[in-house]
């Protein structure tokens, strides 16, 4: 027996929450409303600039609590990463949370090399001649990029050499889970 073909679902058949707002300002307005916060949100058609209007103090406190609660684990992981790196004398001055990910930021080549060694990279033999400036940064960047996924169980890290500052590397962003695995790797 052949079942009759079911008609394709239409927009009216889909749940209302499945559609995402067209603009960032609409998305923010909806999120604030769902949280019980009432604030005027404005944004242009291209959402070039989204603004939240004046909030009553109680709503401002509630919004701050919601943000902190939503980012608590990521912020805690960032603090732990900062502390463990400081314990290894690895400076990550650009370490911060951006858009839900942990950005490691610019780092001196010496600190990147120390991070690679702590993660298990084998240092090059001492008999090897010193590479020219700039090549050292590329070598350390490649070494760190190679050892990082092994140490964190698969998490990738983008590493790039700063052309205008050969003594610095730019380390990319990682998700909070990879950062927690990095903290564990640095502990042992």
């Amino acid at each position: 027996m052949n079942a009759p073909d079911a008609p394709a679902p239409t927009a009216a058949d889909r749940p209302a929450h499945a559609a995402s707002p067209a603009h960032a300002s609409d998305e923010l307005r909806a999120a604030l409303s769902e949280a019980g916060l009432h604030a005027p949100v404005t944004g242009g058609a291209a959402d070039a600039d989204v603004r939240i209007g004046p909030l009553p103090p109680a709503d401002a406190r509630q919004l701050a609590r919601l943000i902190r609660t939503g980012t608590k684990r990521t912020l805690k992981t960032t603090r732990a990463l900062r502390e463990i790196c400081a314990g290894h004398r690895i400076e990550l001055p650009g370490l911060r949370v951006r858009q839900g990910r942990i950005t490691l930021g610019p780092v001196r080549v010496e600190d990147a090399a120390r991070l690679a060694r702590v993660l298990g990279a084998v240092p090059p033999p001492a008999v090897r001649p010193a590479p020219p400036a700039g090549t050292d940064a590329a070598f350390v960047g490649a070494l760190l990029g190679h050892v990082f996924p092994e140490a964190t169980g698969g998490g990738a890290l983008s590493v790039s050499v700063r052309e205008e500052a050969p003594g610095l590397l730019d380390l990319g962003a990682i998700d909070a889970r990879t950062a927690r695995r990095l903290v564990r790797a640095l502990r042992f």
Side-chain angles (χ1 to χ4, degrees):
M1 287 173 59
N2 290 336
D5 291 334
T10 64
D13 298 327
R14 290 186 198 102
H17 68 292
S20 62
H23 301 291
S25 57
D26 293 336
E27 191 172 339
L28 180 58
R29 189 178 300 108
L32 288 170
S33 177
E34 289 168 7
L37 303 173
H38 304 288
V41 177
T42 58
D47 275 339
D49 204 12
V50 177
R51 292 191 174 102
I52 300 175
L55 281 168
D59 284 353
R61 284 187 201 90
Q62 179 63 18
L63 181 57
R65 274 192 295 276
L66 289 170
I67 291 170
R68 286 189 189 106
T69 300
T71 60
K72 185 176 185 174
R73 284 189 75 192
T74 303
L75 293 172
K76 183 178 177 183
T77 301
T78 304
R79 277 191 301 276
L81 185 56
R82 185 175 288 115
E83 289 169 5
I84 195 86
C85 284
H88 287 290
R89 295 183 346 242
I90 299 168
E91 293 181 28
L92 295 173
L95 183 66
R96 62 183 38 91
V97 176
R98 276 197 173 139
Q99 297 180 347
R101 294 177 59 85
I102 298 172
T103 300
L104 301 179
V107 62
R108 294 180 328 189
V109 172
E110 297 82 21
D111 288 314
R114 192 173 297 117
L115 177 59
R117 279 193 306 275
V118 172
L119 292 176
V122 179
V127 295
R128 185 177 141 199
T135 308
D136 188 36
F139 176 78
V140 169
L143 188 63
L144 183 57
H146 175 73
V147 74
F148 188 87
E150 292 174 10
T152 60
L157 175 67
S158 68
V159 181
S160 60
V161 178
R162 283 197 170 182
E163 296 299 324
E164 72 281 356
L168 289 178
L169 293 172
D170 277 321
L171 305 182
I174 55 177
D175 59 41
R177 185 181 344 163
T178 301
R180 285 190 291 277
R181 291 193 310 247
L182 175 59
V183 168
R184 281 194 298 275
L186 291 170
R187 283 192 177 133
F188 302 106

